[in-house]
Amino acid sequence: MEIEEFIKKEKKAKKLYYIYAENTYLRNKFKKEFMQKFIPHSIRDFNLAKVNPGDEYLKRLYSAVQTPPMGAEKRYIISDFDDSDSLNQKQKEKLLEIFKGLSTSSTLVFLTANKLDKRRKFYQALKEIAEYQEFEPPRYRDLDKWIMERFQKYNKKIDRQSLKILENMFSNKLEILNSEIEKIITRYPDKDKISYYDLKEIISREKFIQDEEIFKFLDLIGDKKTDQALLTLKEMLNKGVYPLYLLTMLKNQIELLMQVKFYSQYTHNNKKIAAKLNKHPYPVKKAMKRSRNFSQKELEQILAEILRANRHFLTGYYPNQNTALEMIIIKSVSY
């Protein structure tokens, strides 16, 4: 269920909302939509508390939910946990006690980036007392639609090439993607359709060049064009792209080739494979073509080489990472 759809169906604020959304953009969106519908600006100064993790968190949360509303029917408390925040088992038990002790004059919105294990007692107890909802970022097959809708909101369209570039650059990191889209909209207020050349003007040129060259580099590796891949690699390294970042990108590419090659034994439909892998069909289609250049054993050997190199990079084993990366590429594509 989408956040807008969920908020729309809520006629009256309940006592407790437990909201899971790994993505910060979605948690912020829920807060914004919820506040707009249920918390008038006129009562926010005295009847809206934001209690986030930190020292004596549970004590502060307990105090906030026990404070009665002032001059209003309800008091609202919002608490937001990101992926670096967590509670131990004893603290979770205390949290449940706070949840159970909520009065009818309080509404607590608890947002978290940490997904619950639904086999645990905490979830079983929670679902009896809370409105529990999970909101996931759009997966690759839905990301096209999400991006287009963001532009349509401002009465704009985006061409296919530009859409794919945004996906390749930012994946479904919605905070960054939304920020870049807003930059584009602000830069071209009178333009009805956004093109590839418009993107080059507004998106950080360093980021644009880096990502475009990295994808070209990965294509060359996938096609086993060693000489051209090394030339592209040297150009990127001369521009200051970090070797470890390139190694990580290459690892992701090889893993995708391995996955696609495995599933292509059962189907040659790239959309079905993409659905299995939770990926966008476009990179899967390209990976299917590239994977024909390698056997599964070759891909496993390349990945092992990359993981070994990654350990050496992190431990400082290679004094010259640029040269080391070139040697890894030569060795990898020679399998």
Side-chain angles (χ1 to χ4, degrees):
M1 183 185 295
E2 298 289 338
I3 288 173
E4 294 91 339
E5 182 186 352
F6 174 78
I7 295 292
K8 185 177 180 180
K9 79 175 182 64
E10 291 293 282
K11 304 302 180 186
K12 186 178 180 180
K14 296 181 176 68
K15 281 203 302 182
L16 175 60
Y17 291 88
Y18 193 103
I19 306 298
Y20 163 76
E22 181 182 359
N23 192 285
T24 306
Y25 173 88
L26 292 177
R27 296 200 306 279
N28 288 337
K29 184 176 179 63
F30 186 92
K31 280 187 279 188
K32 181 181 177 182
E33 297 281 342
F34 184 90
M35 289 171 64
Q36 282 180 347
K37 181 162 183 176
F38 294 113
I39 314 177
H41 284 278
S42 58
I43 72 166
R44 292 183 186 181
D45 287 343
F46 297 103
N47 292 294
L48 173 61
K50 295 181 180 179
V51 184
N52 291 328
D55 293 339
E56 298 187 317
Y57 166 70
L58 292 173
K59 184 177 179 180
R60 289 184 287 111
L61 183 64
Y62 177 79
S63 176
V65 300
Q66 291 299 313
T67 303
M70 294 180 62
E73 182 183 348
K74 266 189 176 289
R75 175 175 168 81
Y76 297 87
I77 304 94
I78 297 176
S79 187
D80 192 351
F81 273 53
D82 65 30
D83 56 6
S84 63
D85 301 314
S86 62
L87 298 173
N88 60 36
Q89 187 59 39
K90 189 175 180 180
Q91 290 170 324
K92 284 182 179 180
E93 291 172 4
K94 179 64 177 176
L95 183 64
L96 269 178
E97 290 178 18
I98 294 173
F99 287 166
K100 290 175 181 177
L102 280 171
S103 72
T104 54
S105 62
S106 293
T107 287
L108 171 59
V109 178
F110 186 91
L111 301 116
T112 179
N114 302 301
K115 197 166 189 176
L116 289 180
D117 185 341
K118 295 182 180 178
R119 299 167 297 178
R120 301 286 183 178
K121 290 181 180 179
F122 181 84
Y123 172 76
Q124 299 301 323
L126 178 69
K127 70 178 184 179
E128 300 296 327
I129 58 174
E131 176 67 42
Y132 179 85
Q133 289 290 325
E134 297 182 357
F135 296 104
E136 301 280 359
R139 300 304 177 186
Y140 291 94
R141 59 179 176 272
D142 299 318
L143 197 52
D144 286 8
K145 181 182 175 184
W146 189 90
I147 294 172
M148 288 188 288
E149 285 177 349
R150 293 298 300 160
F151 281 98
Q152 286 168 1
K153 181 180 176 182
Y154 299 95
N155 298 314
K156 296 187 184 298
K157 295 180 180 180
I158 180 171
D159 66 34
R160 187 78 177 164
Q161 184 183 14
S162 302
L163 189 149
K164 292 303 175 188
I165 287 170
L166 288 174
E167 284 185 359
N168 283 336
M169 282 187 175
F170 306 111
S171 185
N172 62 350
K173 298 179 178 70
L174 300 188
E175 300 94 331
I176 302 172
L177 189 50
N178 186 63
S179 175
E180 294 298 329
I181 290 173
E182 288 183 348
K183 284 182 193 175
I184 295 164
I185 298 299
T186 303
R187 174 66 175 81
Y188 302 107
D190 302 320
K191 200 155 193 178
D192 294 330
K193 188 169 184 177
I194 304 301
S195 71
Y196 168 84
Y197 300 101
D198 298 326
L199 293 191
K200 290 184 71 172
E201 290 296 322
I202 189 62
I203 292 178
S204 165
R205 182 159 180 78
E206 179 183 347
K207 171 71 176 171
F208 197 95
I209 291 173
Q210 179 173 311
D211 277 45
E212 284 288 278
E213 290 184 338
I214 286 172
F215 291 123
K216 176 186 172 184
F217 168 67
L218 294 175
D219 282 343
L220 293 171
I221 294 296
D223 293 335
K224 287 194 170 183
K225 296 179 179 177
T226 312
D227 292 343
Q228 293 178 51
L230 287 173
L231 181 60
T232 302
L233 174 63
K234 287 182 179 179
E235 289 173 353
M236 288 189 292
L237 292 173
N238 289 337
K239 290 176 182 176
V241 179
Y242 291 112
L244 188 56
Y245 177 65
L246 285 173
L247 194 65
T248 301
M249 293 288 284
L250 183 56
K251 178 184 78 70
N252 294 341
Q253 176 76 351
I254 297 301
E255 286 177 341
L256 177 61
L257 291 177
M258 289 175 68
Q259 292 170 329
V260 168
K261 194 166 188 69
F262 172 78
Y263 282 111
S264 63
Q265 298 175 86
Y266 307 102
T267 177
H268 295 296
N269 187 318
N270 65 291
K271 291 184 179 179
K272 287 184 179 180
I273 296 176
K276 275 280 187 185
L277 299 176
N278 214 4
K279 303 278 187 186
H280 194 279
Y282 180 72
V284 169
K285 184 179 179 180
K286 295 186 75 173
M288 284 183 71
K289 182 179 177 182
R290 295 181 196 130
S291 67
R292 298 181 191 126
N293 294 328
F294 302 90
S295 68
Q296 196 71 19
K297 184 177 180 181
E298 287 173 335
L299 290 170
E300 289 171 3
Q301 290 173 323
I302 294 170
L303 183 61
E305 196 70 39
I306 291 169
L307 294 175
R308 188 180 301 111
N310 185 67
R311 288 195 299 272
H312 289 332
F313 272 37
L314 294 174
T315 57
Y317 180 84
Y318 292 130
N320 188 327
Q321 291 189 352
N322 289 12
T323 302
L325 185 56
E326 290 181 21
M327 296 304 297
I328 291 162
I329 299 304
I330 292 171
K331 190 171 183 179
S332 295
V333 297
S334 68
Y335 281 113

